[in-house]
Amino acid sequence: MKLTFKPYNLQLKHTFTIASNSREYTPAMLIELEYEGLVGYGEASMPPYLKETQESVAKFLSKLDLEQFENPFLIDDILEYVENADKGNYAAKASVDMALHDLVGKLMNQPCYKIWGLNPDNSPNTSFTIGIDTPKVITEKVKEASKYKILKIKLGKNTDKEIIETIRSITNKPLCVDINQGWKDKYEALDMAYWLKEKQVMFIEQPMRGNNLDDIAWLTENSPLPIIADESIQTLNDVLPLKGIYSGINIKLMKCGGMRAAYKMIILARALDMKVMIGCMTATSCAISAASQLTPLVDWADLDGNLLINNDIFSGMKIIDGKIKISNIPGIGVEKCL
Ligand code: MG
């Protein structure tokens, strides 16, 4: 198997603001894994908070010698080698995992979800994300998002109620909110949880920083809404310690190292009776379609990262009437458009 890669900047349609920062593009790396005339596609997307860069991903990928593997079906062996090549580097690892699943699916001539025996009708609606902004811009964005059945609203600055009131003056759609660790105090967080419940919000993602587990556990125990971990969870090893602290977890391929790791996290979280959401970074349809293959297994999906950019060079998963429609193209379900 021959691995090649090239950097790619994902141009955001709107400047994206969350509680911690704003940005206009997201650095990414597109990779190809070639074997006997077939090409598996993968992608690493690197939002700044995860600390990976195009340089760090290139450095990690350059270290790998995948030509030593003659059988791509030995996914466990290959990914164990990739995992042990260096610590961290989860977006880089995810790109290899994705390309390998794409390649194996192409060799079997089936999309991954079929190989796993999943029912695509069980995929949920996807939420569409609206960043923190002025009431005027929020109003425009809610109107642009008319075809989505669920909106995910970024909160965590001092305009939370204004934003929710603005949205509720336009639509009665179900909402979920992502605080990105922006709330500071557990009592205020609990007051907001009750207020948001009255506003028909379904759950709250990462309300506060995850370093005070006692406060989060208290909030989860007392909150009328489920509390979902995002920044507080990264890999498979983080799942068990969060049982009893959060109601559920948001899994992202770029955080956990890819589809195989994500699958294991979903199974473990289910066994622990925790809710599961699958989310994403801004990315092309390559990484989004890879994540979509797992959506029949989750409660909620937030796979809109490809819709937030204006230079997607893949086509794959579609959103039809707000619902995820997994692509039937073999592998992770993508075609390159350029
Ligand atoms: Mg989040």
Side-chain angles (χ1 to χ4, degrees), residues 33 75 121 124 137 176 194 196 202 205 213 241 255 295 305 326 328:
L33 197 54
I75 294 178
D121 295 341
V137 176
C176 52
Y194 275 100
L196 290 168
M202 298 183 298
E205 198 178 315
L213 294 182
K255 290 195 300 185
T295 53
I326 308 177
N328 272 320

Side-chain angles (χ1 to χ4, degrees), residues 152 154 178 180 205 230-231 250 252:
K152 171 165 161 173
K154 295 286 191 179
D178 187 356
N180 290 110
E205 198 178 315
D230 183 4
E231 285 86 341
N250 184 353
K252 296 176 180 169

Side-chain angles (χ1 to χ4, degrees), residues 9-30:
N9 284 337
L10 307 164
Q11 306 294 337
L12 301 177
K13 289 179 183 169
H14 297 283
T15 303
F16 193 65
T17 301
I18 60 172
S20 56
N21 63 64
S22 292
R23 63 176 191 270
E24 285 173 11
Y25 76 96
T26 303
M29 188 73 78
L30 301 179

Side-chain angles (χ1 to χ4, degrees), residues 248-263:
I249 56 173
N250 184 353
I251 297 172
K252 296 176 180 169
L253 301 187
M254 299 303 157
K255 290 195 300 185
C256 72
M259 300 165 78
R260 196 165 181 81
Y263 197 109

Side-chain angles (χ1 to χ4, degrees), residues 98-249:
M98 219 178 280
L100 191 56
H101 279 87
D102 197 34
L103 185 60
V104 165
K106 283 170 173 162
L107 285 163
M108 297 175 80
N109 202 30
Q110 295 293 342
C112 296
Y113 81 86
K114 280 194 182 171
I115 296 169
W116 294 331
L118 305 180
N119 180 352
D121 295 341
N122 292 339
S123 291
N125 291 321
T126 187
S127 51
F128 183 83
T129 302
I130 296 186
I132 296 173
D133 225 312
T134 61
K136 182 169 174 287
V137 176
I138 299 247
T139 301
E140 283 166 21
K141 287 183 179 174
V142 170
K143 286 179 181 161
E144 275 174 41
S146 61
K147 61 181 172 175
Y148 300 95
K149 300 250 161 53
I150 302 170
L151 300 178
K152 171 165 161 173
I153 315 301
K154 295 286 191 179
L155 299 178
K157 294 201 164 185
N158 53 6
T159 51
D160 292 358
K161 287 191 175 177
E162 178 186 62
I163 287 172
I164 297 295
E165 299 279 17
T166 301
I167 292 165
R168 277 289 171 251
S169 71
I170 311 166
T171 177
N172 290 320
K173 278 179 193 177
L175 305 179
C176 52
V177 297
D178 187 356
I179 317 304
N180 290 110
Q181 320 186 84
W183 292 345
K184 305 294 178 228
D185 176 272
K186 67 177 181 179
Y187 300 106
E188 284 172 28
L190 187 60
D191 284 348
M192 274 304 288
Y194 275 100
W195 188 82
L196 290 168
K197 172 145 175 99
E198 280 175 24
K199 301 291 171 188
Q200 280 84 48
V201 168
M202 298 183 298
F203 64 86
I204 300 172
E205 198 178 315
Q206 199 67 53
M208 301 184 287
R209 296 189 77 83
N211 48 5
N212 191 335
L213 294 182
D214 288 345
D215 282 0
I216 303 263
W218 179 88
L219 180 62
T220 299
E221 196 182 332
N222 292 289
S223 168
L225 297 177
I227 306 291
I228 308 299
D230 183 4
E231 285 86 341
S232 285
I233 177 126
Q234 183 154 7
T235 65
L236 179 62
N237 292 337
D238 300 328
V239 180
L240 182 57
L242 293 184
K243 168 69 180 166
I245 310 284
Y246 288 91
S247 325
I249 56 173

